Amino acid sequence: MANRSSASLQEALKQKLDYDQLTNCMRCGFCLPACPTFKETGIEAESPRGRISLMKATVDGLLEPNVRFEEQMSHCLGCRACEPACPADVKYGRLIEQARDAIEDHTTRHRWWVKAVRGVVFRGLFPHQRRMRLLGKGLRLYRQSGLQKAARKLGIVGMFSKHMADMERILPEASGKGVVELLGTRIPAEGEKRGTVGMFRGCLMDVLFTETNRKTVELLSAAGFEVVIPEAQNCCGALHAHSGEADLAKQLAKNNIRAFRDIGVDYIVSNAGGCGAILTEYDHLLHNEPEWREGAEWFARRVIDVSKLLLENGKELGPPKRAGGGAPSVRVTYQDSCHLKNVMRGGQAPRQLLHNTAGVEFVEMMEAGACCGSAGIYNITQPEMAGTILERKMGHAQATAAHYIVTSNPGCLLQMKLGIEKHAKGKGMQAVHLVDFLYDAYKRNS
C-alpha cells in the first residue's frame, strides 16, 4: 500500500484489539449462518470467524495488514448477529470497532474529498444539535423551494451515483425544529405517574423523524411517564464508533452522561435501535477512564428501548385486543433492528405490542432478524452488498403480503422504504416506524 506503514498499523492493532476476545473465539463456526456477508458470498474471510482470524494473525505477526485486510474489516455490517449465536460469548462488535479505529488512525487510503466529508460529518455536524437543525432547515428548503424537483428533473443527484439518487427519493421531509422546540423540555404524565424518563432524541432522528420523536413523547406521557428532554444532550456516537472515530465517540458519550445525570431519571429511553445499543455500552466505551466509570455505568443501566418500557411498565393504551373480535383491518410484519435485537436483546417487545394492537394481524417474516443492509452508513459506503442483502430481504417481506413493514430504527426504516421503492412499488406496502404505527393505532382506537 502506498504511503502507509503496515508496521505502524500492526502496532496500533496490537494496542487496541482485546487479545482475550481474539483468543476466546473457538473457531466453531456457529457464527457463519448468522452472518449476512458470509451468507451472500460463502467466503470464510467474510465471516466473523474469518475476520477474527485475520485480526489475530495480524497481531501475532503472521499477516501484514494490507489493503485486503482493511477491505475485509470495512465489509462487515456490524450487525452483531454473530454475538447471540456465539457459545463463547465473543464480543465481536467491540473487536471490529477496535480494528476500524486502528485502521482509521493509520490509513492514507482515503481520498482527500473523503477525508473532508468525514471531517464535516463526524466533527462539524453530528456532534452539534444546532447545526443539525440548520441542516434540517436546509433540507426542508430544498424540498419546498422546488430545488428538489429541478435536481431530479435534471438528474443532478444521479451524476454522483445511482444509489445516492435512489436514497434521495425516499428521504422523509426534514424539520428545522426538534422535539424540544415542539413540546418543551418537560412533559407531564397523564393520570397516575409511573416514573420519570429522559428522552434521548438523537441527531438525525430529531431532524428527519421529528414527528416520530414527538409521538414517542406523547405515547410515553399517555402511558404514565413524565418525560424530560435534556437540551444539553448530543449525538450518541454510534456512527463515530462504527467508523473508527473512537475518541469522538467517547467525547459525545461524556457529554450525554453529564446531560442526563444532571436531571436524574428512572429510565433513559431510546426509539432508535442503533442509538440505544451504543448508549447501553457507554460503560464499555469508557472502561479505560476510571473517572467516568461510575457515571457510565449509571447511564448504561438506565437505557431502555421505548417498546420494552411501554410493554413492561406503561399503562395499557387503547382497548384490549379481543379474541375473535372481527377480521383484522391491516396485516403487519416486523423487520428487526439488528442492534435492538442483538445488542439490547429487545426483539420480542415490538412484536408483542403489535400482537396486542386491535385491528392488526401480525405475520412473522422469514429471516426477520437478518440485517436489511442499512447498518449505519453501510448502504452508502458498500451499496453493492447492501443492495444484494436488501433484495433478499424484500423477497421475504413480499411473501408476507403485509400492508406495513414495521421497524424500530431510522436507518432500517429508510432502507425498507428504499426496498419498497425498488422492489415492491405500487403493491400497497408501506414501511413505518414502530412508534408511528402504535401512536396512530392508539389515536384511532381510543
Side-chain angles (χ1 to χ4, degrees):
M1 179 181 296
N3 301 319
R4 182 179 67 79
S5 168
S6 61
S8 66
L9 174 54
Q10 186 175 47
E11 185 58 34
L13 289 164
K14 286 181 180 180
Q15 292 176 5
K16 295 192 174 186
L17 283 169
D18 185 336
Y19 198 77
D20 287 341
Q21 290 298 322
L22 291 177
T23 55
N24 278 349
C25 178
M26 302 184 298
R27 313 293 190 266
C28 65
F30 276 73
C31 61
L32 300 184
C35 177
T37 52
F38 179 80
K39 282 197 293 187
E40 293 298 332
T41 67
I43 298 172
E44 174 72 16
E46 294 275 14
S47 71
R49 180 176 70 177
R51 292 189 180 101
I52 289 174
S53 294
L54 291 174
M55 294 178 204
K56 189 172 184 300
T58 301
V59 171
D60 290 342
L62 303 175
L63 177 72
E64 181 180 301
N66 55 18
V67 173
R68 290 293 298 151
F69 174 85
E70 294 186 20
E71 287 176 347
Q72 283 302 339
M73 298 305 112
S74 66
H75 282 179
C76 174
L77 290 113
C79 68
R80 296 172 66 170
C82 51
E83 292 187 10
C86 179
D89 194 30
V90 175
K91 306 300 183 186
Y92 172 81
R94 297 175 186 176
L95 289 172
I96 197 68
E97 288 180 2
Q98 291 162 357
R100 287 173 174 173
D101 188 33
I103 290 169
E104 196 56 40
D105 284 348
H106 291 81
T107 187
T108 59
R109 189 160 55 92
H110 292 320
R111 297 180 181 179
W112 69 267
W113 60 269
V114 174
K115 291 182 179 179
V117 169
R118 286 179 66 95
V120 169
V121 171
F122 289 131
R123 294 176 177 81
L125 188 58
F126 281 118
H128 308 284
Q129 293 292 118
R130 184 173 295 178
R131 295 176 191 176
M132 290 298 296
R133 287 196 293 275
L134 287 174
L135 172 65
K137 289 179 181 178
L139 290 172
R140 190 175 182 85
L141 178 63
Y142 168 71
R143 181 185 290 256
Q144 294 183 342
S145 66
L147 284 172
Q148 184 182 52
K149 290 182 179 178
R152 288 179 178 179
K153 187 174 182 179
L154 295 172
I156 293 174
V157 180
M159 291 171 61
F160 296 98
S161 79
K162 182 180 183 302
H163 181 72
M164 290 299 292
D166 291 339
M167 292 298 294
E168 190 269 350
R169 287 202 304 273
I170 51 87
L171 281 177
E173 186 167 344
S175 173
K177 293 183 179 180
V179 66
V180 168
E181 290 72 29
L182 294 177
L183 299 177
T185 59
R186 189 174 289 270
I187 299 87
E190 294 182 13
E192 182 184 354
K193 179 179 171 181
R194 298 204 170 193
T196 301
V197 302
M199 166 73 179
F200 188 81
R201 63 181 181 176
C203 47
L204 282 176
M205 277 298 298
D206 218 33
V207 170
L208 294 181
F209 302 94
T210 312
E211 280 299 291
T212 304
N213 271 358
R214 178 185 67 81
K215 291 174 182 178
T216 299
V217 173
E218 294 187 3
L219 276 181
L220 289 168
S221 175
F225 298 101
E226 180 183 21
V227 183
V228 184
I229 313 172
E231 288 192 89
Q233 65 178 290
N234 51 217
C235 172
C236 65
L239 288 178
H240 299 79
H242 302 333
S243 303
E245 301 283 353
D247 289 340
L248 275 170
K250 290 176 183 178
Q251 187 55 55
L252 293 169
K254 292 172 185 177
N255 292 342
N256 283 326
I257 291 167
R258 277 192 293 260
F260 281 87
R261 203 165 191 192
D262 285 347
I263 59 171
V265 291
D266 302 313
Y267 305 97
I268 299 169
V269 70
S270 167
N271 59 8
C275 295
I278 194 166
L279 297 177
T280 63
E281 295 191 332
Y282 274 3
D283 53 345
H284 169 73
L285 187 64
L286 299 172
H287 75 282
N288 284 330
E289 302 190 38
E291 67 274 22
W292 284 96
R293 187 170 299 143
E294 182 185 352
E297 290 175 354
W298 177 92
F299 187 100
R301 282 197 306 270
R302 283 163 174 76
V303 176
I304 188 170
D305 186 73
V306 61
S307 60
K308 185 175 182 180
L309 185 63
L310 288 172
L311 181 67
E312 296 183 357
N313 301 88
K315 292 186 294 188
E316 190 168 316
L317 299 175
K321 188 173 185 178
R322 295 190 182 95
S329 56
V330 292
R331 175 178 286 197
V332 174
T333 193
Y334 181 72
Q335 163 60 28
D336 281 289
S337 156
C338 291
H339 287 98
L340 177 57
K341 176 180 181 287
N342 300 323
V343 182
M344 300 180 75
R345 302 295 198 265
Q348 289 309 308
R351 288 173 168 81
Q352 192 59 53
L353 288 170
L354 292 171
H355 270 296
N356 295 348
T357 303
V360 169
E361 177 191 3
F362 178 79
V363 183
E364 188 68 45
M365 186 197 313
M366 184 181 292
E367 296 185 356
C371 186
C372 63
S374 172
I377 57 173
Y378 188 92
N379 56 353
I380 297 174
T381 61
Q382 305 284 343
E384 186 175 342
M385 177 62 77
T388 301
I389 291 171
L390 178 59
E391 185 174 1
R392 178 189 181 99
K393 176 64 65 176
M394 288 308 301
H396 294 322
Q398 291 182 77
T400 67
H403 302 108
Y404 293 94
I405 306 173
V406 179
T407 189
S408 303
N409 189 61
C412 302
L413 177 58
L414 291 179
Q415 185 76 339
M416 299 316 297
K417 285 179 178 290
L418 178 62
I420 292 171
E421 176 77 14
K422 294 179 72 173
H423 302 290
K425 194 171 183 179
K427 295 185 178 180
M429 181 176 281
Q430 297 180 52
V432 64
H433 193 286
L434 175 69
V435 165
D436 294 325
F437 187 86
L438 294 176
Y439 179 89
D440 292 345
Y442 162 62
K443 288 296 185 181
R444 184 172 60 250
N445 295 327
S446 59

